[in-house]
Amino acid sequence: MSKPYQFYPSNLYHLFPEKKLQQWEQTGQKKHFKKGELICTPGQNNDSVNLILSGHIRVFHIHIEGKECVLGVLSKGDFLDIFNIFSERDSHIFAKALTDGEAVSIPLSEVSETVEQSPELAMTLLKYFSSRLLETVDILEQVAYSKVEERLNYLLQNLASTSDSVDKWSPIPSYLTHKDLAGMIASTRETVTFLLNKLSQTGQIKQEDQRIWVKMNRNM
């Protein structure tokens, strides 16, 4: 599954030295979490970084009015709290488990030292974050100027798992709720439910086996 539709950085696992990753996985403090468990809140874990070993985690902010803004869904090999490496500001993110899973806590100093000792790694991370910044601008443009239905359709196309495709249909992850989808496109759960029903009636999606299946648009 591709994961371009999010602000929060992921897919950084492969950028770090394999030996260092193995060391962290073996010596770091393991954390097990259950579905629905709140893993972190703003201000927590500023001295460590969490590497996800299994499961799926929803990362989000909460607006002053109480609305959730979903920044991304992290999976195996993703880093939670990765911004702590480069910023002295306290974290403002919430992280909640969408499934059961496990993570390993790594001291922030060790991750920072690894980056500092490898100019090549530092440059690779810089290029990665620059690319994600451009993606963030694209998402902000969509939120500002696109209709909600267009944003939802774009999101579904990007969340669909092409590796699980059947004919022209691809499923989105079953653990994502209507509320999660709404948080990703700056809308409400009620609006997303209404639009999903509309897309189902027009044949752009179908709902089977408790999953949403998307008819892939290869031009997107």
Side-chain angles (χ1 to χ4, degrees):
M1 181 186 74
S2 60
K3 296 187 291 185
Y5 199 95
Q6 59 181 22
F7 300 136
Y8 200 84
S10 60
N11 300 324
L12 298 178
Y13 184 86
H14 66 284
L15 301 181
F16 286 83
E18 184 176 354
K19 290 185 178 180
K20 181 61 68 173
L21 291 169
Q22 292 176 348
Q23 175 187 335
W24 287 338
E25 292 182 22
Q26 294 172 359
T27 63
Q29 181 181 359
K30 298 288 180 64
K31 298 180 178 181
H32 298 273
F33 49 84
K34 296 291 185 180
K35 178 180 178 180
E37 181 180 345
L38 194 62
I39 298 173
C40 74
T41 57
Q44 289 186 340
N45 300 327
N46 286 332
D47 60 349
S48 63
V49 175
N50 291 281
L51 173 61
I52 302 173
L53 302 180
S54 64
H56 304 278
I57 297 175
R58 174 164 56 93
V59 181
F60 60 99
H61 281 184
I62 295 182
H63 189 265
I64 190 172
E65 296 179 354
K67 296 180 180 180
E68 292 185 6
C69 175
V70 178
L71 305 179
V73 176
L74 306 184
S75 306
K76 178 180 179 181
D78 289 334
F79 288 90
L80 179 62
D81 314 312
I82 192 67
F83 282 123
N84 292 346
I85 300 176
F86 308 99
S87 175
E88 296 181 355
R89 296 176 57 185
D90 290 338
S91 172
H92 290 86
I93 68 166
F94 292 81
K96 192 172 186 178
L98 294 173
T99 64
D100 294 351
E102 183 181 27
V104 58
S105 180
I106 308 167
L108 180 62
S109 58
E110 289 190 22
V111 183
S112 298
E113 183 179 352
T114 301
V115 175
E116 291 173 359
Q117 291 178 348
S118 174
E120 181 180 356
L121 174 59
M123 181 58 66
T124 301
L125 289 174
L126 178 59
K127 291 180 179 178
Y128 177 88
F129 279 101
S130 296
S131 176
R132 296 311 300 268
L133 176 59
L134 295 176
E135 292 175 6
T136 299
V137 173
D138 290 340
I139 295 173
L140 290 174
E141 183 178 355
Q142 284 196 27
V143 172
Y145 300 109
S146 298
K147 296 180 180 179
V148 178
E149 185 171 350
E150 293 173 348
R151 301 202 301 267
L152 177 60
N153 190 44
Y154 180 83
L155 173 65
L156 294 175
Q157 291 284 329
N158 281 287
L159 288 175
S161 174
T162 54
S163 61
D164 296 326
S165 294
V166 178
D167 295 328
K168 295 181 180 180
W169 296 91
S170 300
I172 72 168
S174 59
Y175 50 77
L176 291 177
T177 66
H178 290 192
K179 182 179 179 180
D180 295 329
L181 298 177
M184 292 179 180
I185 60 172
S187 185
T188 64
R189 179 185 60 78
E190 293 79 9
T191 298
V192 166
T193 299
F194 170 79
L195 291 176
L196 287 174
N197 289 332
K198 181 179 177 180
L199 292 173
S200 181
Q201 293 172 0
T202 57
Q204 293 173 264
I205 69 168
K206 62 181 180 179
Q207 302 186 53
E208 295 181 354
D209 302 324
Q210 297 183 333
R211 300 186 74 175
I212 296 174
W213 292 75
V214 183
K215 180 178 289 186
M216 300 304 293
N217 181 355
R218 301 304 177 186
N219 294 324
M220 293 188 66

